[in-house]
Amino acid sequence: MLLTMAGIDKAFGGVPALRGAGIEISPGEVHALIGQNGAGKSTLIKILTGVYKRDAGSVRFDGVERELTSPRAAQDIGIATIYQELNLVPLRSVTENVVMGYEPKRFGLVQWREANRRTRDVLSRFGISLDVTEQLGNYSTAIQQLVAIARAVSLESKLVIMDEPTSSLDASEVEVLFGVIRELKRQGVAVLYVSHFLDELFEVCDRVTVMRDGQTVTSRDIEATSKLELIADMLGRNKDDVEAEGMTEFGGAEAKRGAIRLQANGISTGPRLSELNLTLHEGEIVGLGGLLGAGRTEAARALFGVDDIVKGSMEMAGSKIQFSGPGDAISAGLGFLAEDRKAEGIVPDMSVRENLTLALLPKLTTRGQISFAKEREIVERYIRALGIKTADMDQPIRELSGGNQQKVLLARWLATEPDILILDEPTRGVDVGAKREIQAFVRDYVAKGFSVVLISSEFEEIVEGADRIIVMHEGRSVSELTNPGVTENMLVNALANNEGGEAAWNSQ
């Protein structure tokens, strides 16, 4: 066995991130590591690569017990990592990126002719021929990904860790990458393949390890498993119960709907959102269901004009629309509560008042002057309506709890009085009480005739909260489920049978 990690524990601030986790990888094996957000994959990898120190357990690599103290220490024994965000230098040449830190030298001087030769040699092992003196940034993302792999191979790595390697590649580039992975396997190099795209695992991997809640729940041969089993393992479902629900019970009595408010017709923004079909009516909540990487957030960004639509069309009230940016979407009556509260939501050093009215400033401003009286009236109204717990409206938002920060962000968009509100993980990271209050407020909002697109990783929330669920897989909407009558197991089954043929669209 090339790698054996066993009984690995790791906690941060007393909160366990890993509990008895482990993984085994053989030489020349392509081994998948999968799990939902928070499952512990990244923490396990960071322990293996020397970023974190484990609290308990053992790491045995290449027949020796290891105590890795840094990424360089891991690299020196033959463990290379290729991250989703490539850690390369685009303004340097291909050769410089490949040999960086390991340049061939003579009398203290870098021997660039030899460095270029080594780089060409290692690239040729994968059938790649290019000008190695050219700046790396002049090449495509796919080529940059392959250069990162070439660097790993040039260091005589025995294990290459690939973190979401296909996230920025198109279909033809993915095939090139798979060819390189198969060549690595042929050369006896093991690959630890981390991906949210389950179809890829069956294309290129030999075995798979599933993690959930900081623990390793199963490891088995790819040939001996199915997509349904993997999804059930990741979500903690019973496969037999999911199968017993079948694919024929979707749908039910159709809720009375208002007029069509928004329609997306096969819209695409690139490989991560390749075809979204969605119809949203007045007074309706439409949920986007799918695993991580299915394209749900990309769908939200496209609908709100954050990302350019390169194919397909959108309509509002029967007329085609084309947003050039979020400003156009806001003017058209849309609001968007983004998934990452800290990175894309709050401005931590600004007050509750300033954060709440940020999207409303154009309506509060006359001849460059903000109407502070009107602003304070609006803020007071939403603090009362959502039960936001704050000392006063001028308290810095960073001092509020996560649940109250989320309420402020929800109020920010409600204050713009949008006809359509897109909610991406609206209750993530909030306590149970705040979660129920947010859910109740959204239901009241929709009851008044407004419309909501709801994204949630919690299947219970999306099944109970949505009138219809659009099931997404690898950037495409593949089926639709209609409440009442949808269960969590039905949604799991739809995700596992996601080629679109078995689960028919209930309505359009």
Side-chain angles (χ1 to χ4, degrees):
M1 196 65 62
L2 176 66
L3 171 69
T4 301
M5 301 179 74
I8 304 295
D9 290 351
K10 181 64 181 178
F12 298 96
V15 179
L18 294 177
R19 296 173 293 163
I23 189 170
E24 291 186 341
I25 303 176
S26 300
E29 176 183 71
V30 183
H31 194 112
L33 180 63
I34 64 173
Q36 286 285 74
N37 256 352
K41 306 185 303 295
S42 295
T43 304
L44 189 69
I45 288 173
K46 286 178 178 178
I47 287 173
L48 173 60
T49 55
V51 177
Y52 294 155
K53 182 179 179 180
R54 62 185 182 274
D55 297 334
S58 63
V59 176
R60 188 175 183 84
F61 184 78
D62 203 18
V64 179
E65 291 288 333
R66 305 287 184 175
E67 190 65 52
L68 301 172
T69 57
S70 70
R72 179 61 184 253
Q75 197 172 77
D76 287 344
I77 66 169
I79 300 174
T81 306
I82 301 168
Y83 295 100
Q84 182 176 357
E85 300 297 331
L86 294 173
N87 53 344
L88 301 173
V89 185
L91 295 179
R92 294 290 187 92
S93 70
V94 172
T95 291
E96 287 174 294
N97 275 276
V98 169
V99 303
M100 192 176 298
Y102 298 89
E103 298 91 344
K105 294 181 180 180
R106 186 179 182 187
F107 305 122
L109 299 176
V110 176
Q111 303 299 295
W112 288 113
R113 181 176 295 179
E114 173 63 14
N116 289 334
R117 185 192 64 77
R118 290 185 187 180
T119 301
R120 283 192 291 267
D121 285 349
V122 72
L123 288 171
S124 69
R125 291 165 65 178
F126 305 108
I128 302 168
S129 177
L130 48 82
D131 182 356
V132 297
T133 65
E134 183 75 25
Q135 279 190 1
L136 180 65
N138 292 339
Y139 289 107
S140 68
T141 300
I143 291 296
Q144 293 183 39
Q145 190 83 263
L146 297 176
V147 168
I149 295 172
R151 172 178 168 81
V153 173
S154 72
L155 299 176
E156 298 184 354
S157 300
K158 298 174 182 177
L159 172 64
V160 177
I161 302 169
M162 297 186 182
D163 184 8
E164 298 290 346
T166 63
S167 59
S168 302
L169 307 183
D170 61 27
S172 61
E173 292 170 337
V174 168
E175 284 305 313
V176 173
L177 176 66
F178 284 176
V180 170
I181 291 174
R182 294 184 183 105
E183 178 61 20
L184 286 173
K185 177 180 176 180
R186 192 188 67 78
Q187 295 175 11
V189 179
V191 175
L192 178 55
Y193 190 89
V194 183
S195 178
H196 294 118
F197 303 127
L198 298 187
D199 287 349
E200 294 178 0
L201 312 189
F202 294 88
E203 284 282 326
V204 76
C205 296
D206 302 307
R207 296 179 65 236
V208 58
T209 291
V210 182
M211 296 188 70
R212 185 178 68 247
D213 297 331
Q215 297 177 297
T216 300
V217 294
T218 186
S219 289
R220 54 174 173 260
D221 292 342
I222 285 288
E223 291 182 351
T225 192
S226 67
K227 195 183 304 178
L228 177 59
E229 288 175 308
L230 294 180
I231 294 172
D233 286 337
M234 282 195 295
L235 300 174
R237 308 286 174 186
N238 184 293
K239 171 182 170 290
D240 293 335
D241 289 346
V242 174
E243 283 188 312
E245 298 258 3
M247 293 292 292
T248 59
E249 300 178 34
F250 294 158
E254 187 173 307
K256 186 177 180 180
R257 301 172 184 164
I260 292 176
R261 185 160 263 158
L262 175 70
Q263 189 155 355
N265 305 305
I267 64 174
S268 168
T269 58
R272 301 195 72 176
L273 181 68
S274 55
E275 186 176 359
L276 172 68
N277 292 287
L278 178 149
T279 303
L280 181 67
H281 299 77
E282 293 178 4
E284 180 182 45
I285 299 177
V286 169
L288 297 184
L291 299 173
L292 213 58
R296 297 167 302 167
T297 293
E298 288 77 10
R301 290 170 60 89
L303 295 175
F304 195 61
V306 179
D307 297 333
D308 292 335
I309 294 173
V310 297
K311 186 175 70 174
S313 64
M314 278 175 44
E315 297 178 14
M316 291 187 72
S319 299
K320 286 190 176 182
I321 54 169
Q322 180 83 35
F323 297 147
S324 60
D328 287 351
I330 294 171
S331 298
L334 277 73
F336 177 29
L337 182 63
E339 174 184 11
D340 193 331
R341 178 170 64 239
K342 291 183 178 178
E344 300 181 85
I346 68 169
V347 184
D349 291 330
M350 290 173 65
S351 67
V352 170
R353 170 181 55 81
E354 291 167 318
N355 271 276
L356 196 153
T357 58
L358 204 55
L360 199 61
L361 287 179
K363 296 182 179 180
L364 295 173
T365 304
T366 304
R367 297 189 184 94
Q369 295 294 317
I370 297 175
S371 172
F372 291 106
K374 188 175 181 181
E375 179 188 42
R376 297 183 79 84
E377 184 274 324
I378 290 171
V379 174
E380 287 175 353
R381 185 200 321 161
Y382 280 100
I383 286 177
R384 288 194 303 269
L386 274 79
I388 300 170
K389 294 179 176 60
T390 178
D392 59 62
M393 67 175 67
D394 292 311
Q395 181 180 8
I397 195 171
R398 67 172 182 272
E399 297 177 0
L400 271 58
S401 68
N404 283 296
Q405 289 179 1
Q406 193 75 334
K407 289 180 184 179
V408 171
L409 295 180
L410 179 59
R412 173 192 293 171
W413 291 111
L414 291 172
T416 67
E417 300 180 342
D419 295 323
I420 298 168
L421 187 54
I422 303 168
L423 301 176
D424 193 353
E425 303 287 359
T427 63
R428 172 176 288 173
V430 306
D431 61 40
V432 175
K435 179 176 181 176
R436 289 175 178 169
E437 289 172 344
I438 291 171
Q439 290 170 330
F441 200 91
V442 170
R443 284 194 292 270
D444 290 343
Y445 172 76
V446 173
K448 295 174 183 176
F450 298 99
S451 307
V452 167
V453 176
L454 174 65
I455 300 171
S456 177
S457 296
E458 296 186 27
F459 283 17
E460 178 183 8
E461 180 173 23
I462 203 165
V463 165
E464 292 182 356
D467 300 302
R468 288 183 295 120
I469 301 170
I470 306 297
V471 180
M472 297 196 66
H473 170 69
E474 294 192 0
R476 297 181 297 117
S477 47
V478 293
S479 60
E480 181 178 310
L481 318 179
T482 303
N483 266 320
V486 179
T487 68
E488 293 177 54
N489 282 347
M490 289 179 183
L491 180 52
V492 174
N493 206 319
L495 294 173
N497 296 275
N498 51 34
E499 299 309 319
E502 295 185 60
W505 291 86
N506 288 324
S507 59
Q508 282 294 335

